[in-house]
């Protein structure tokens, strides 16, 4: 998976978790608020209805007493109007969302109310028939029934308040649960964020470490180094490009060494012929030469020797890069090497009106070294000084 896809997936997961938590929290809060409004409305209606019922029951008892005393039909009509009002309030309560004990208490209240018309009929019959004693007895029974209704109405009010408190507690519990869930999801999201960030950072740093190590190897001349990876992301593409680059650099390095080695070998043969020709002329084999000609031939031979030394350096460099051990270390006296280097460089330095002054000790200066390489070091020093 690509790094961009990993990052996108990780941030997408975090956003999803935060979004789900927010939706859950908002829905729970909205539900709690809605329930609060509903409970407030139900409570208000119940309180108003219960208070109205108690007031209507008191007026009903008062009107019944007046009807028994006066026998006036207007009190009888008023009595039935109040009963209709109470009946309407009971129907409204029946349409409200009652639960548990509220429903039970309402059922008892409704049963008492449904039994009341029989008591009212007997009371009205006794009063309208002129039976004072019977009317008084029926009035007393009616008042007892009305007292039972008032008591049951108060019980219904208490059950309603208890139910409202229970719903409010449930709403508060839901809000607390939402808070706990939100905190838990936030903690889980935080842990996931840390874990995902750690995995992604570790994945990136491991790839960078491999690339950094490979860069150091190539900088040190190890063009055979390859970055091995089993990943399939951008770093794997970078590793393949790095391997192709090192392979190309290694091929160029081999071509360079081969070219230098071949050219150096090709130059050694004609250069050796030129030097040998100069020696033959200096030895006078073809005939005598003038001092000026001898001087020119000596300079030519010295230049050839210097060129031969340069070619030897190139060959040695190629061999060293190829890993060939060329050094032949033996105990050597450094003084003869210094004198020889001074004699070889003297003629070249004389052209620039320069001369070498040697200040050497009388005793040998011994060192474990490769004499030929030390001689080349001395030649380079003198050539650079010139």
């Amino acid at each position: 998976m690509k790094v961009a896809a990993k990052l996108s997936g990780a941030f997408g997961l975090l956003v999803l978790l935060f979004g789900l938590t927010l939706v859950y929290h908002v829905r729970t809060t909205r539900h709690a608020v809605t329930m609060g409004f509903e409970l407030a409305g139900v409570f208000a209606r119940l309180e108003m209805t219960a208070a109205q019922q108690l007031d209507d029951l008191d007026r009903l008892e008062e009107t019944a007493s007046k009807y028994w005393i006066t026998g006036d039909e207007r009190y009888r009509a008023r009595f039935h109007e109040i009963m209709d009002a109470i009946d309407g309030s009971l129907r409204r309560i029946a349409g409200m969302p009652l639960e548990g004990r509220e429903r039970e208490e309402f059922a008892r209240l409704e049963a008492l109310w449904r039994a009341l018309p029989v008591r009212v009929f007997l009371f009205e019959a006794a009063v309208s028939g002129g039976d004072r004693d019977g009317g008084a007895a029926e009035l007393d029974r009616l008042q007892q029934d009305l007292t039972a209704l008032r008591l049951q109405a108060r019980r219904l009010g208490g059950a309603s308040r208890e139910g409202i408190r229970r719903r409010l507690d449930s709403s508060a519990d839901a809000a607390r649960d939402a808070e706990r869930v939100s905190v838990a999801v936030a903690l889980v999201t935080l842990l996931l964020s840390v874990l995902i960030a750690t995995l992604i950072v570790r994945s990136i740093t491991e790839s960078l470490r491999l690339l950094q190590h490979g860069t150091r190897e190539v900088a040190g001349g190890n063009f055979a180094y390859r970055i091995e990876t089993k990943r399939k992301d951008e770093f794997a593409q970078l590793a393949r490009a790095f391997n192709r680059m090192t392979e190309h650099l290694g091929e160029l390095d081999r071509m360079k060494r081969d070219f230098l080695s071949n050219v150096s070998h090709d130059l050694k043969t004609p250069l050796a012929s030129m030097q040998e020709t100069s020696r033959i002329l200096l030895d006078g084999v073809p005939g005598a030469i003038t001092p000026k000609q001898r001087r020119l031939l000596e300079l030519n031979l010295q230049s050839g020797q210097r060129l031969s030394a340069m070619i030897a350096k190139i060959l040695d460099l190629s061999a060293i890069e190829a890993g060939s051990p060329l050094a032949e270390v033996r105990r050597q006296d450094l003084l003869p090497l210094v004198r020889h280097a001074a004699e070889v460089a003297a003629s070249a330095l004389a052209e620039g009106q320069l001369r070498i002054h040697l200040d050497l000790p009388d005793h040998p200066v011994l060192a474990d070294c490769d004499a030929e390489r030390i001689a080349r070091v001395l030649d380079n020093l003198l050539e650079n000084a010139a």
Side-chain angles (χ1 to χ4, degrees):
M1 182 182 293
K2 294 185 176 181
V3 176
K6 291 180 181 178
L7 293 174
S8 300
F11 285 115
L13 177 61
L14 297 179
V15 170
L16 178 62
L17 288 175
F18 276 119
L20 291 176
T21 305
L22 180 61
V23 170
Y24 174 78
H25 194 76
V26 169
R27 289 185 60 184
T28 304
T29 304
R30 183 178 296 174
H31 177 68
V33 172
T34 303
M35 183 179 293
F37 278 113
E38 290 178 353
L39 290 175
V42 171
F43 179 74
R45 290 195 298 272
L46 283 174
E47 285 291 319
M48 292 178 61
T49 303
Q52 185 65 41
Q53 282 181 346
L54 292 173
D55 185 59
D56 289 342
L57 288 173
D58 290 338
R59 290 191 296 115
L60 193 65
E61 184 176 357
E62 180 183 356
T63 304
S65 298
K66 290 179 179 179
Y67 179 60
W68 175 73
I69 293 172
T70 63
D72 192 341
E73 289 297 323
R74 288 177 297 180
Y75 288 115
R76 180 179 180 182
R78 179 62 178 161
F79 185 86
H80 284 283
E81 290 178 1
I82 297 173
M83 287 189 65
D84 291 339
I86 295 175
D87 191 66
S89 67
L90 289 176
R91 285 195 298 270
R92 286 194 298 274
I93 294 175
M96 295 180 183
L98 303 179
E99 296 179 359
R101 183 165 169 260
E102 288 179 293
R103 180 64 64 183
E104 294 175 1
E105 296 296 342
F106 176 73
R108 294 190 184 97
L109 177 64
E110 193 174 31
L112 290 174
W113 177 255
R114 297 307 172 201
L116 188 65
V118 176
R119 183 68 60 195
V120 171
F121 175 77
L122 294 175
F123 168 68
E124 290 178 344
V127 173
S128 60
D131 186 0
R132 299 290 298 176
D133 294 335
E138 291 299 331
L139 177 61
D140 184 62
R141 295 187 187 96
L142 178 61
Q143 288 174 343
Q144 292 178 4
D145 290 345
L146 292 176
T147 300
L149 280 170
R150 281 195 294 270
L151 179 61
Q152 187 60 35
R154 292 190 180 94
R155 289 174 180 170
L156 175 60
S160 298
R161 286 187 289 273
E162 181 182 345
I164 289 173
R165 282 194 300 271
R166 188 168 55 251
R167 290 171 188 151
L168 287 175
D169 291 339
S170 176
S171 177
D173 291 339
R176 285 191 292 269
D177 291 339
E179 183 178 359
R180 286 193 292 268
V181 169
S182 300
V183 172
V185 172
L187 290 176
V188 171
T189 304
L190 179 61
L191 292 176
L192 283 177
S193 303
V194 173
L195 178 61
I196 292 172
T198 302
L199 293 176
I200 292 177
V201 169
R202 180 180 298 177
S203 174
I204 294 174
T205 53
E206 177 65 18
S207 299
L208 291 177
R209 186 188 63 80
L210 292 175
L211 184 61
Q212 185 180 26
H213 180 69
T215 304
R216 285 197 299 266
E217 289 290 330
V218 173
N222 183 14
F223 298 115
Y225 183 83
R226 298 291 184 271
I227 296 178
E228 300 295 335
T229 180
K230 297 181 180 179
R231 299 171 55 163
K232 297 181 180 179
D233 53 10
E234 294 88 343
F235 288 107
Q237 299 174 3
L238 182 60
R240 288 192 291 270
F242 179 87
N243 292 337
R244 287 194 297 270
M245 179 193 71
T246 54
E247 183 179 359
H248 185 60
L249 289 175
E251 183 64 28
L252 291 177
D253 187 63
R254 285 190 297 272
M255 292 173 62
K256 180 200 71 173
R257 289 199 305 268
D258 293 342
F259 173 77
L260 291 176
S261 178
N262 293 332
V263 169
S264 299
H265 280 290
D266 292 342
L267 289 175
K268 286 181 68 177
T269 300
L271 183 59
S273 299
M274 293 169 60
Q275 288 177 328
E276 187 63 27
T277 300
S278 297
R279 290 190 183 96
I280 291 173
L281 292 174
L282 287 171
D283 291 340
V285 175
I289 58 176
T290 66
K292 186 175 181 179
Q293 290 173 335
R294 177 174 293 277
R295 177 59 179 166
L296 292 175
L297 288 173
E298 288 175 352
L299 292 175
N300 184 55
L301 180 60
Q302 291 172 1
S303 298
Q305 290 173 347
R306 292 176 61 192
L307 182 58
S308 179
M310 294 179 185
I311 293 174
K313 293 176 187 177
I314 294 175
L315 289 174
D316 287 349
L317 179 61
S318 299
I320 291 171
E321 290 179 346
S324 301
L326 299 178
E328 296 180 1
V329 178
R330 294 195 305 271
R331 183 164 289 274
Q332 302 284 342
D333 184 4
L334 299 182
L335 298 183
L337 298 178
V338 174
R339 291 190 185 96
H340 181 268
E343 291 173 359
V344 171
S347 58
L349 293 172
E351 296 178 2
Q353 297 181 352
L354 301 172
R355 65 187 181 88
I356 300 175
H357 173 69
L358 296 180
D359 185 8
L360 302 178
D362 296 333
H363 57 81
V365 179
L366 302 178
D368 293 332
C369 62
D370 186 325
E372 183 178 355
R373 290 173 179 270
I374 291 296
R376 289 175 186 168
V377 170
L378 295 171
D379 291 341
N380 287 335
L381 290 173
L382 293 173
E383 180 180 351
N384 292 338

